[in-house]
Amino acid sequence: MTPPVTAATTDATDPVLDYVRRAIADYPVVPVRTVYTEIAGIPRTITLKLEGHSPWRSVKGRTALSLIRSVADRLTVPGATVIESTSGNLGLALSAICRDLGLRFIAVVDQRQSPVIQKTIEDNGGELDWIKTPDDAATHLQDRLARVRELVRVLPHAVWPNQYENDANWRIHETWTAPELDAQASASAQVLFAGVSTGGTLAGLSRYFRRARPGLRIIGVDVRGSTVFGGVPRPRALTGIGASRRSAFLKPADYDTVLLVEERRAVACCHTLREDTGIAVGGSSGAVLAGALDYLYRHPEVRHVLCLCPDLGDNYAPTVYHPAWLDRIGLPADPGRLRHRTGAACPGFRAHDGQSAPTAPSEEDVPR
Ligand SMILES: Cc1ncc(COP(=O)(O)O)c(C=O)c1O
């Protein structure tokens, strides 16, 4: 999917910028799927933007291209090494980009990271630098950032794009992800839900939609124990969503409300959605869905919502979709019992055709 970087295809004066330009031009329109449910006895429509159908399997592909573009002038030095703290998806995208550009890449990660993503980063030639924080600590991010700072100090030509503070993170979602979603989703949508970690996706979406569709309510979703919006950190099991620091990008004007959901409910939503529609999403998307169900329960006037789903379930076969992992976080593996945890009086989901839907996008999901 990634355009190869060769002498014939690059701009000799600026191979990195040329690469990013081409990758953005070749990026497919990421499909949406619509599912239906009934909450508090009222039919509701939920449009899922399935960013997992991107070339590097998550919304972070867009972020990675933008971050790399922002540091392009420092990447042409021989021996340049890209270093980033990541819970997985950004590392996966950066590892593929660095491989294509012939750059060394080090991902600073913690033990919660999906083994599937770890392997892909290594297959792409990326190096994993593990922090030793215990699995049940609440400070993985702070520890990863400390390690990045140390590596940047000791490694010559280290380049840290810094997804947590670099405005290139949110800007790409304002100029690209948001208009794409706007063109796909019907004008009837009343509320947009997005999860937060750095807050880049939500900030970018909001800054576009506040201007383009001021009537759209924008809701940030986080998990309990995360401190993106303040509070006291608590150990968390899901990766991708949440952080042990405040977002550098989000301002109160960017969202109408913030919803905090229990991680176990997020996981239960993943299972119920997969069981009912065949669509398997990652844990952060499950959190977004759980937040949307809660909101719909309290808002009978809302009939159509949009959910930004950062990735699919394929990365989480050994975690969110594995009975042993479910057991570890105190959830039953039985689908019927998991369904009870979905909550908000949601009887389940139906795909747009009333049938079980395949996870792969169908022709009709891709706008022309
Ligand atoms: C799976 C997943 N969900 C949600 C997010 C949150 O995105 P952001 O950092 O833009 O807030 C990420 C970011 O890494 C992610 O990987």
Side-chain angles (χ1 to χ4, degrees), residues 60 87 89 163 169 195-201 239-241 284 310-311 316:
K60 286 288 180 176
S87 63
N89 280 327
Q163 63 160 331
N169 177 340
V196 293
S197 182
T198 65
T201 312
T239 53
I241 191 159
S284 70
D311 63 3
Y316 306 99

Side-chain angles (χ1 to χ4, degrees), residues 294-317:
D294 287 348
Y295 190 88
L296 287 167
Y297 188 69
R298 291 198 305 273
H299 292 270
E301 81 287 2
V302 175
R303 304 301 166 93
H304 182 195
V305 302
L306 308 174
C307 289
L308 193 289
C309 297
D311 63 3
L312 294 175
D314 49 0
N315 290 332
Y316 306 99

Side-chain angles (χ1 to χ4, degrees), residues 57 88-89 92 113-121 315-316:
R57 310 207 315 252
N89 280 327
L92 194 158
Q113 194 189 51
S114 150
V116 181
I117 297 181
Q118 281 165 33
K119 179 166 184 321
T120 314
I121 291 175
N315 290 332
Y316 306 99

Side-chain angles (χ1 to χ4, degrees), residues 70-332:
S70 75
V71 294
D73 58 337
R74 295 160 58 202
L75 297 177
T76 45
V77 181
T81 299
V82 175
I83 301 176
E84 186 58 279
S85 153
T86 167
S87 63
N89 280 327
L90 181 68
L92 194 158
L94 285 175
S95 68
I97 293 170
C98 289
R99 175 201 60 205
D100 294 344
L101 290 169
L103 294 165
R104 183 178 177 202
F105 172 60
I106 301 174
V108 177
V109 296
D110 62 63
Q111 295 94 320
R112 296 172 311 157
Q113 194 189 51
S114 150
V116 181
I117 297 181
Q118 281 165 33
K119 179 166 184 321
T120 314
I121 291 175
E122 288 184 318
D123 288 349
N124 286 337
E127 297 162 44
L128 298 173
D129 190 284
W130 296 92
I131 53 140
K132 304 285 184 292
T133 313
D135 214 14
D136 59 354
T139 56
H140 293 98
L141 173 58
Q142 299 303 341
D143 297 336
R144 289 204 313 257
L145 291 174
R147 176 62 180 155
V148 169
R149 287 190 192 99
E150 187 186 333
L151 286 172
V152 166
R153 223 177 22 249
V154 299
L155 280 178
H157 310 304
V159 178
W160 176 23
N162 194 353
Q163 63 160 331
Y164 289 91
E165 288 176 357
N166 186 337
D167 286 339
N169 177 340
W170 64 265
R171 285 189 201 283
I172 196 72
H173 300 296
E174 179 187 23
T175 56
W176 186 16
T177 321
E180 182 177 300
L181 174 58
D182 195 18
Q184 288 171 303
S186 88
S188 66
Q190 295 154 288
V191 190
L192 166 68
F193 296 88
V196 293
S197 182
T198 65
T201 312
L202 178 64
L205 291 173
S206 171
R207 284 163 206 176
Y208 171 88
F209 281 114
R210 287 287 197 227
R211 262 197 334 271
R213 293 185 48 190
L216 187 73
R217 283 176 245 173
I218 295 173
I219 314 291
V221 181
D222 199 2
V223 287
R224 290 195 193 281
S226 158
T227 57
V228 174
F229 296 104
V232 181
R234 210 175 70 185
R236 288 171 286 115
L238 291 178
T239 53
I241 191 159
S244 50
R245 58 172 278 172
R246 279 179 175 272
S247 167
F249 308 130
L250 286 167
K251 300 180 176 53
D254 290 324
Y255 44 86
D256 294 280
T257 312
V258 172
L259 299 173
L260 291 182
V261 304
E262 286 293 342
E263 288 191 306
R264 281 191 262 192
R265 270 201 62 227
V267 173
C269 282
C270 289
H271 282 263
T272 303
L273 182 72
R274 183 180 69 162
E275 176 90 357
D276 292 351
T277 69
I279 302 170
V281 292
S284 70
S285 307
V288 170
L289 202 50
L293 295 180
D294 287 348
Y295 190 88
L296 287 167
Y297 188 69
R298 291 198 305 273
H299 292 270
E301 81 287 2
V302 175
R303 304 301 166 93
H304 182 195
V305 302
L306 308 174
C307 289
L308 193 289
C309 297
D311 63 3
L312 294 175
D314 49 0
N315 290 332
Y316 306 99
T319 55
V320 170
Y321 292 99
H322 197 284
W325 190 87
L326 290 176
D327 187 51
R328 234 188 70 209
I329 68 161
L331 276 176

